[in-house]
Amino acid sequence: MTIEGLHHITIGALDAQRTVDFYTTVLGLRFVKKTVNFDDPSTYHLYFGDEQGRPGSAITFFEWPGVPHGRPGIGGTHHVALTVGSHDAQLKWKRRLTDLGLSIAGPYDRHYFTSIYFKDPDGLILEIATVGPGWTIDESADALGRSFVAPPENLVKGHRDEDAIRAATWPEPVPSITPDMVLTAGMHHVTAIGSDIHATDAFYTGILGMRRVKQTSNFDDPIQAHWYWGDEHGRPGSLITYFEWKNQNALRARIGTGQTHHFAFAVKDEEEQLAWRERLVRAGMRVSPVMDRVYFKSIYTNDPDGHIVELATLGPGFTSDEPVETLGQALMLPPWLERHRREIESQLKPIAAPGWPVHAGAL
């Protein structure tokens, strides 16, 4: 039984068309599935990712018209990071997004990778992170995560060169997404917020069997612990990280638009998923029955602070009900809702989706 890595993350969005426009035309992801929230078929569930929406690349949204903005806090997610291959490509993203009118923070040297940050139209914090240099820059591979490692002082807020960071960008306009910039490698990591880092560690290492790959501090607030868990090597795409907010006045997360509803880890197949369910039950955890999501099977539990954590199977995938060439173009419904198609479509505002590959619009 092994957690294969991140599978997807699901976020609340106010407006479906605005979300499609941003994640395809601005960020260049593929719109791979237009369906409905199976638990509330009057609203959209939108999926974005690589060419086929493979596990680890999938970012999904529930459309919640009229729902107020959410808020990061204990029991919620702080941000989601997407992977880019090089620092130059990251600087191109900074220039492209700045020229499109977004406010960009960074690039910040996080010692193990570099990061830029911005927000989507609903206020979700997005990060674009480089693959390396990786975890072994300050620990040997066999000793990762065993001891606390303090961040280098010159990389911590209050000591880093903020003027140089603000000035760093690509020297020329980037009107379209170049091959080295594509974000279809998927998620780098997801960062959540907890109240007790040791309880969080017991959940991820003791119950889910993940490796703790780094114990450090939040470079932007070094009194907070920042720990990372992942696969054996801590590869990007397997990583979940937590900030510890221990202050008694720390706010709990508020679910809403721009805030994560849940994130999911990938498990190999249905047989292994059932074994995971039994393990969670034996550990005294709340765990849902197996849910048929058509493109994968799902079970749901919670981290120690209540954040919804899903374990989803790798398959059968998004090409199970439409060909790869036309993914995302038609409204796809699960078999048990097909007889209600006319009623469902009457409640949904039509969405215009670009073809694939996306040709990002000119500035």
Side-chain angles (χ1 to χ4, degrees), residues 308-320:
I308 300 171
V309 178
E310 176 182 348
L311 301 185
T313 58
L314 289 171
F318 294 114
T319 57
S320 62

Side-chain angles (χ1 to χ4, degrees), residues 244-283:
E244 181 184 48
W245 287 7
K246 295 183 69 171
N247 189 313
Q248 290 182 343
N249 296 320
L251 296 172
R252 288 198 60 83
R254 182 177 64 222
I255 294 295
T257 55
Q259 177 55 217
T260 303
H261 182 269
H262 65 269
F263 55 79
F265 295 106
V267 297
K268 183 172 66 174
D269 53 29
E270 294 176 44
E271 180 181 0
E272 193 160 299
Q273 185 180 64
L274 288 173
W276 276 111
R277 188 178 189 281
E278 180 61 27
R279 182 170 181 168
L280 290 163
V281 169
R282 288 200 309 268

Side-chain angles (χ1 to χ4, degrees), residues 9 274 297 361:
I9 187 168
L274 288 173
K297 299 288 180 65

Side-chain angles (χ1 to χ4, degrees), residues 91-102:
L91 291 177
K92 290 180 183 180
W93 272 113
K94 180 177 180 180
R95 179 60 186 265
R96 171 174 168 76
L97 295 172
T98 300
D99 288 348
L100 287 171
L102 278 71

Side-chain angles (χ1 to χ4, degrees), residues 95-147:
R95 179 60 186 265
R96 171 174 168 76
L97 295 172
T98 300
D99 288 348
L100 287 171
L102 278 71
S103 177
I104 311 300
Y108 294 114
D109 185 344
R110 302 310 197 185
H111 201 40
Y112 314 109
F113 47 86
T114 60
S115 303
I116 62 170
Y117 301 87
F118 54 99
K119 293 181 179 180
D120 83 350
D122 287 296
L124 172 72
I125 301 171
L126 291 167
E127 175 182 350
I128 295 177
T130 59
V131 172
W135 307 113
T136 57
I137 193 171
D138 56 11
E139 292 182 292
S140 63
D142 61 348
L144 289 178
R146 292 183 185 175
S147 304

Side-chain angles (χ1 to χ4, degrees), residues 1-18:
M1 291 168 56
T2 305
I3 297 295
E4 304 287 337
L6 294 169
H7 189 285
H8 67 270
I9 187 168
T10 296
I11 302 138
L14 187 67
D15 181 85
Q17 185 65 64
R18 183 175 70 172

Side-chain angles (χ1 to χ4, degrees), residues 282-351:
R282 288 200 309 268
M285 305 294 294
R286 182 204 74 86
V287 59
S288 73
V290 175
M291 305 287 192
D292 185 357
R293 301 311 192 190
V294 178
Y295 313 110
F296 43 85
K297 299 288 180 65
S298 302
I299 58 173
Y300 301 86
T301 187
N302 302 89
D303 77 1
D305 289 291
H307 200 307
I308 300 171
V309 178
E310 176 182 348
L311 301 185
T313 58
L314 289 171
F318 294 114
T319 57
S320 62
D321 61 358
E322 58 181 335
V324 65
E325 294 80 11
T326 57
L327 285 174
Q329 297 301 303
L331 178 67
M332 306 306 296
L333 298 176
W336 60 89
L337 290 178
E338 192 59 53
R339 61 193 175 97
H340 301 294
R341 174 175 287 274
R342 182 173 298 179
E343 177 187 353
I344 290 170
E345 288 184 333
S346 72
Q347 299 178 74
L348 299 171
K349 187 176 179 180
I351 298 172

